[in-house]
Amino acid sequence: MALVCKERLPWYHRLYSSILKVGPIPKHLAFIMDGNRRYAVKKHVERIEGHSQGFDKLAEVLQWCQELGVEEVTVYAFSAENFKRSKEEVDSLMELARTKFERILKEKDKLEELGVRLCVVGELDMLPDSLQTLAKQLITTTKNNYKCKLNVCAAYTSRLEMTQAVRDIKWGVDEGLIYVSDISERLMDKTLQIPKVDLLIRTSGEVRLSDFLLWQSSLSYLSFLRHLWPEMTIWDFYGAILLYQQSYKYKKQEEEEHEEELRKEELMMVSNENNQEEALKMRKNRINNFIIKLNEKRLANCMTDS
């Protein structure tokens, strides 16, 4: 199955989606796609077939998200810790990923039509050279698409992402783009490649985050589903959205309180300035310029290597 589904959802699913859209819809939704190997055991097929079925399920889930108007989706495709698995399984996964990435590249016209931007996040140098090249081609080919975004986390852990963000901030200070005094929680938010998550869903019945988006999920609604990833149904998805909506009031209140704390922290940082509002404005401009330069640097690295 391709990443972009060509058939529309049945009318009754579209109707239910339209009802859900009356309430708040998460702008950024993340998935821990867990259970592919157990699915293969359950169905008495090879492990790689379980992973292949998992990719097909991702195409379905992205269609569900698109129907609801979700702006950004992040999926945990391959943890850096998974390289500790048997060489046979890792090699099979890398070959599967190569095949799927090649197929996605062939759909670039459809991705452009739908406005889908792809970003592959993780320690890409841990991947085979051919897969690195394809990942960077996906990033550069879709860089001008802005309607929705898909982040594929490969060779990823949250600890590695945060470590890289610290290196990026140090680079910004060394380049004179930002000051040491600009370093704050909000700067870290902006420097990480993946933004804050509204709703995080994990399948397979496991109740843990497995080093995935630890920083970004601090204020997220977490949903742990019983079904294995390839078995996840649209009704599981709708149920998670409905529970998110039921908790939205309290989540929004917590976010507003946290935003107020960040605002107070920023005011304290410029408390010695005569014009605090002007100092805050200059600080904000520095940080925004730093993020622009950082994203240009990231994209340039992809274009150079691909």
Side-chain angles (χ1 to χ4, degrees):
M1 181 182 287
L3 182 67
V4 179
C5 291
K6 295 179 174 58
E7 296 181 1
R8 293 192 68 189
L9 289 173
W11 67 267
Y12 47 88
H13 287 322
R14 299 200 303 273
L15 174 62
Y16 199 85
S17 293
S18 66
I19 294 171
L20 281 176
K21 283 193 282 189
V22 174
I25 297 298
K27 292 182 179 180
H28 185 190
L29 213 161
F31 293 94
I32 300 178
M33 305 183 293
D34 192 22
N36 291 336
R37 294 201 297 174
R38 276 172 281 174
Y39 176 81
V41 172
K42 182 178 178 180
K43 296 296 183 179
H44 306 289
V45 297
E46 295 293 327
R47 284 181 178 178
I48 196 61
E49 178 60 24
H51 291 296
S52 182
Q53 291 291 323
F55 178 85
D56 292 346
K57 178 57 63 175
L58 173 59
E60 281 187 70
V61 171
L62 291 177
Q63 186 182 30
W64 305 342
C65 292
Q66 183 185 23
E67 189 68 33
L68 275 181
V70 176
E71 297 174 6
E72 186 163 2
V73 175
T74 299
V75 296
Y76 204 0
F78 191 79
S79 168
E81 297 296 320
N82 287 350
F83 283 105
K84 297 177 182 178
R85 294 179 180 178
S86 69
K87 184 179 185 302
E88 180 184 2
E89 183 176 1
V90 171
D91 288 347
S92 296
L93 280 169
M94 294 300 102
E95 178 59 24
L96 176 64
R98 186 189 63 79
T99 302
K100 301 303 184 183
F101 278 14
E102 286 178 344
R103 184 180 298 181
I104 295 170
L105 272 173
K106 291 178 181 178
E107 298 176 326
K108 61 182 180 181
D109 291 340
K110 187 64 176 179
L111 293 173
E112 183 177 353
E113 178 186 335
L114 295 173
V116 179
R117 181 183 175 193
L118 271 77
C119 187
V120 184
V121 181
E123 299 296 301
L124 299 189
D125 56 357
M126 296 176 69
L127 301 174
D129 290 344
S130 61
L131 197 52
Q132 289 184 44
T133 300
L134 286 168
K136 290 168 183 177
Q137 286 176 348
L138 282 171
I139 294 170
T140 55
T141 300
T142 63
K143 63 183 171 60
N144 295 321
N145 300 343
Y146 292 106
K147 289 183 181 177
C148 54
K149 185 179 180 184
L150 171 63
N151 303 305
V152 178
C153 294
Y156 171 95
T157 68
S158 190
R159 288 170 296 160
L160 289 172
E161 185 191 15
M162 288 188 279
T163 301
Q164 183 57 51
V166 172
R167 293 195 189 103
D168 290 336
I169 290 172
K170 180 183 181 300
W171 171 81
V173 173
D174 291 343
E175 292 292 314
L177 298 171
I178 51 176
Y179 304 152
V180 171
S181 59
D182 292 330
I183 299 175
S184 65
E185 180 180 337
R186 198 186 297 279
L187 178 63
M188 188 70 167
D189 285 342
K190 290 178 176 289
T191 306
L192 291 166
Q193 285 190 261
I194 302 174
K196 292 284 189 180
V197 173
D198 297 308
L199 170 61
L200 189 151
I201 297 174
R202 177 170 187 152
T203 54
S204 86
E206 296 289 341
V207 185
R208 52 195 172 91
L209 296 181
S210 298
D211 208 351
F212 180 57
L213 302 181
L214 300 182
W215 181 282
Q216 297 91 330
S217 63
S218 58
L219 297 176
S220 305
Y221 182 84
L222 307 179
S223 178
F224 298 99
L225 305 180
R226 176 176 53 83
H227 284 142
L228 304 175
W229 172 253
E231 297 176 327
M232 179 181 172
T233 70
I234 195 169
W235 301 109
D236 293 324
F237 177 72
Y238 287 155
I241 297 294
L242 190 59
L243 289 173
Y244 167 84
Q245 292 180 336
Q246 290 174 350
S247 68
Y248 181 77
K249 175 182 176 182
Y250 307 103
K251 180 179 180 297
K252 187 70 173 175
Q253 181 180 344
E254 189 175 7
E255 288 174 344
E256 289 172 353
E257 291 172 354
H258 186 63
E259 179 62 30
E260 183 62 27
E261 290 175 4
L262 293 180
R263 174 70 176 174
K264 289 178 181 178
E265 178 188 348
E266 290 172 338
L267 286 172
M268 292 214 28
M269 288 179 173
V270 296
S271 59
N272 294 327
E273 301 288 340
N274 292 328
N275 188 333
Q276 292 186 359
E277 288 301 323
E278 182 63 23
L280 282 175
K281 182 179 178 181
M282 292 176 63
R283 182 174 180 272
K284 182 178 179 181
N285 288 340
R286 279 196 305 274
I287 291 174
N288 288 342
N289 182 57
F290 159 65
I291 296 301
I292 290 171
K293 296 295 184 183
L294 177 60
N295 287 334
E296 289 175 352
K297 176 172 172 277
R298 287 167 174 166
L299 185 58
N301 287 339
C302 287
M303 296 181 74
T304 300
D305 295 338
S306 62

